[in-house]
Amino acid sequence: MLFEFTSNVEAGIKSGKYVEVFSNGISIGIVCDSATGQFVGYAVSALVNNNLVSPLITPVQFLMKGANMVQTYIDIDFQKNYQQNDFIRTGLQSLQTNLGVLQATTALIGVGTVATVALKAVNLHQVLKFRREVQQMRLEVKNGFINLSQAVKDQEAEIRQIVEQIVQDVNFEQHRIVLVRAYTLFVQAINRLQSVIQLKDFTSRNDEIVDVRKMLLKALADYTNPHLLEEISALGQIRRFECAWAIEQAIVITYQVQNEMSAVSECLWHLRDKISEHSCIVIGHCESYDDLDFLFPEISRIRNHDFAILEIWQARVDWMRSLSKAEIKLLVSSDFNTLEPAYTLDVNLATEVLAVPPEQLAYEYLTEKAHFYSLRDQLMFMFKPYLRCDYEVYIKQQASVAGYKTLASNNLQKVSDLAVTNLYYYFKVRDESNIERTLEAVIPNSVALSGAEKP
């Protein structure tokens, strides 16, 4: 992620007067004076692959100072804590909105086989639009579901018909009951937490937060119920997992407002690990181009945006843990006179959701140059980069036998995931006669893509 700062701070960075603060080798969006160490500014925006950061699940508010800075040192005045808690409440509200919209779309995905036309109505682009409409109060989330008939009123007739059929779907109704219960409990926990963090008595505050955490864990159990997950498709699973990740972030916040920063860091690390694990499970269950059309852009967004925010969140927490109390006081009391990043991001996102997501455009480009298995493996590489190393080893071995001298290890490391996966299947098809013959018809000229030539 690339942070951007106000013009005067950017000028100070270029001149060497100011420097960005790094933690675990990651910029955390804070700048200090290189001579005095005085904190001088927060980032006002952030970019991922030259696009404005726009996570699917994690609120953009988790990039700003209030949600990521220490909250409850007893020697910091209550008014300052109250201001910081206001940022947390904003983040929690965004988290609730995101979970509600994601859960609502499970209705169109349903249980079992999913109609392709229905997927178009709840893909990444549509979810971003739904979220914006909920934020602007044009759509209401009720019991964890939006009025789908209202949400898809401008869609084609076939989609509207599917919405009507969902009401009669007995199998999905069983899942719906569980999701409504879980969402209701989640909302109760969020509302209680927003009230609890205003308590001045720290003993009562912590006792209440423990109870909130128990409520969140109970809701989480419903979303990750293995028996229910077994009954749904990979596309339904990703939505359930996304809801679970949102709840886990709320659980992290409960530790953060208790100032249990070691627990926060550990929870964030485990959450990123869990996102990787769950995503790989879903990718492994991906069986068709229809599945891939839906999953590739969405999982790419999660990996590139949500992952980045969680990584920076953890880096900030670890950095905070390394500071002295005097440094923490100085940081919390600093007035940088800059816009909060979340405010700037939220304003820009209002127009961004109208455009086709860059992940969708990138996927469409890849589909012109790769087949299903290559695309699925590229998606897996996002979470298991070591698999690419295995592919490179295999390509090198086969290329040596075939006489492609330019496909040496140092050259392979420089080429794209697209070229690596295509080359891998190119050699697989050549050397394993039991591989489906249909692959040969769709594999592009992988050798040409990598620039390899025979001697």
Side-chain angles (χ1 to χ4, degrees):
M1 184 181 292
L2 176 65
F3 284 109
E4 294 184 325
F5 303 87
T6 57
S7 57
N8 63 314
V9 173
E10 290 280 6
I13 293 174
K14 290 180 180 178
S15 68
K17 181 181 179 181
Y18 302 147
V19 293
E20 288 188 65
V21 176
F22 283 78
S23 174
N24 304 332
I26 302 168
S27 173
I28 60 175
I30 298 175
V31 173
C32 67
D33 189 295
S34 56
T36 66
Q38 177 76 33
F39 303 113
V40 297
Y42 285 101
V44 294
S45 64
L47 302 175
V48 174
N49 298 328
N50 296 318
N51 295 293
L52 190 70
V53 63
S54 177
L56 183 63
I57 305 161
T58 307
V60 291
Q61 286 86 355
F62 286 3
L63 273 178
M64 64 183 174
K65 64 180 181 183
N68 290 294
M69 297 296 109
V70 69
Q71 303 297 325
T72 55
Y73 274 88
I74 59 175
D75 52 353
I76 297 174
D77 64 275
F78 179 76
Q79 182 61 32
K80 179 62 68 172
N81 271 328
Y82 184 85
Q83 293 171 0
Q84 299 292 318
N85 289 336
D86 188 52
F87 295 134
I88 288 184
R89 287 195 295 272
T90 303
L92 290 173
Q93 186 59 50
S94 293
L95 201 60
Q96 180 178 324
T97 297
N98 293 348
L99 187 149
V101 171
L102 290 168
Q103 172 170 298
T105 60
T106 62
L108 268 176
I109 296 174
V111 177
T113 304
V114 190
T116 304
V117 68
L119 295 181
K120 295 178 182 178
V122 290
N123 62 14
L124 174 63
H125 194 192
Q126 292 299 323
V127 167
L128 296 176
K129 288 182 178 179
F130 289 159
R131 185 170 68 187
R132 174 56 52 183
E133 291 181 357
V134 170
Q135 290 170 339
Q136 295 178 346
M137 302 184 70
R138 292 201 299 264
L139 281 177
E140 178 186 5
V141 177
K142 187 176 181 180
N143 295 327
F145 287 92
I146 57 178
N147 185 327
L148 281 175
S149 297
Q150 179 187 358
V152 301
K153 65 180 184 299
D154 297 328
Q155 299 282 344
E156 53 194 277
E158 188 175 355
I159 293 177
R160 297 198 301 273
Q161 183 179 358
I162 292 174
V163 170
E164 297 300 324
Q165 292 173 348
I166 290 170
V167 179
Q168 309 299 325
D169 189 340
V170 176
N171 290 329
F172 179 72
E173 185 59 26
Q174 296 173 350
H175 286 249
R176 183 188 181 97
I177 292 172
V178 174
L179 294 178
V180 168
R181 179 182 68 200
Y183 179 81
T184 300
L185 187 59
F186 170 77
V187 171
Q188 290 173 351
I190 292 298
N191 291 339
R192 187 173 178 182
L193 181 58
Q194 290 179 352
S195 300
V196 165
I197 58 179
Q198 301 180 62
L199 295 178
K200 293 183 179 181
D201 184 89
F202 283 92
T203 300
S204 299
R205 191 170 184 256
N206 285 335
D207 289 344
E208 289 279 353
I209 291 172
V210 170
D211 289 340
V212 168
R213 193 154 52 233
K214 291 178 181 177
M215 295 170 68
L216 291 170
L217 288 169
K218 188 174 180 180
L220 179 64
D222 278 337
Y223 284 106
T224 56
N225 185 316
H227 300 296
L228 294 180
L229 288 172
E230 288 175 359
E231 297 178 1
I232 57 180
S233 67
L235 312 185
Q237 287 180 351
I238 192 63
R239 282 289 193 263
R240 303 290 176 90
F241 285 144
E242 288 165 354
C243 292
W245 302 336
I247 294 175
E248 297 222 33
Q249 290 177 54
I251 292 173
V252 173
I253 291 295
T254 66
Y255 285 113
Q256 185 151 320
V257 296
Q258 289 181 301
N259 199 32
E260 295 289 349
M261 307 310 274
S262 178
V264 171
S265 179
E266 184 175 357
C267 285
L268 288 171
W269 186 88
H270 283 299
L271 177 55
R272 286 194 291 137
D273 188 60
K274 192 170 294 184
I275 291 174
S276 295
E277 177 188 350
H278 288 166
S279 297
C280 289
I281 290 173
V282 171
I283 295 167
H285 291 163
C286 180
E287 299 178 343
S288 68
Y289 273 109
D290 288 340
D291 289 354
L292 205 56
D293 291 346
F294 181 86
L295 291 173
F296 201 107
E298 186 157 317
I299 291 180
S300 298
R301 173 66 64 102
I302 292 167
R303 180 61 184 84
N304 294 332
H305 292 251
D306 292 84
F307 234 65
I309 291 180
L310 294 175
E311 185 177 54
I312 292 167
W313 186 359
Q314 182 177 359
R316 283 186 178 181
V317 168
D318 291 342
W319 175 69
M320 287 290 302
R321 293 168 63 197
S322 72
L323 299 180
S324 66
K325 280 197 174 184
E327 289 172 317
I328 291 173
K329 277 188 175 181
L330 180 63
L331 177 65
V332 174
S333 62
S334 297
D335 181 7
F336 297 148
N337 295 315
T338 62
L339 288 173
E340 290 296 343
Y343 173 79
T344 306
L345 292 169
D346 200 48
V347 170
N348 291 332
L349 287 175
T351 56
E352 189 192 48
V353 295
L354 299 177
V356 177
E359 293 82 6
Q360 180 64 42
L361 298 176
Y363 173 69
E364 291 172 1
Y365 168 80
L366 291 174
T367 56
E368 296 176 354
K369 301 179 180 297
H371 56 83
F372 172 81
Y373 297 99
S374 171
L375 291 166
R376 191 174 65 177
D377 289 354
Q378 290 175 60
L379 195 56
M380 190 72 81
F381 285 177
M382 293 182 186
F383 299 95
K384 293 185 176 180
Y386 63 85
L387 290 179
R388 171 173 166 140
C389 297
D390 295 340
Y391 279 40
E392 290 176 4
V393 170
Y394 177 80
I395 293 168
K396 180 184 175 182
Q397 292 172 345
Q398 298 302 318
S400 177
V401 173
Y404 293 106
K405 293 184 178 180
T406 56
L407 293 178
S409 295
N410 57 336
N411 288 337
L412 284 174
Q413 292 173 3
K414 299 175 184 177
V415 303
S416 66
D417 289 348
L418 168 66
V420 168
T421 53
N422 279 347
L423 282 166
Y424 176 80
Y425 283 104
Y426 169 78
F427 286 116
K428 274 286 187 181
V429 170
R430 273 185 31 143
D431 301 323
E432 297 183 15
S433 58
N434 61 334
I435 295 291
E436 296 180 21
R437 287 183 172 274
T438 53
L439 280 176
E440 293 188 84
V442 293
I443 292 181
N445 189 344
S446 304
V447 177
L449 280 173
S450 66
E453 296 180 359
K454 268 196 172 185

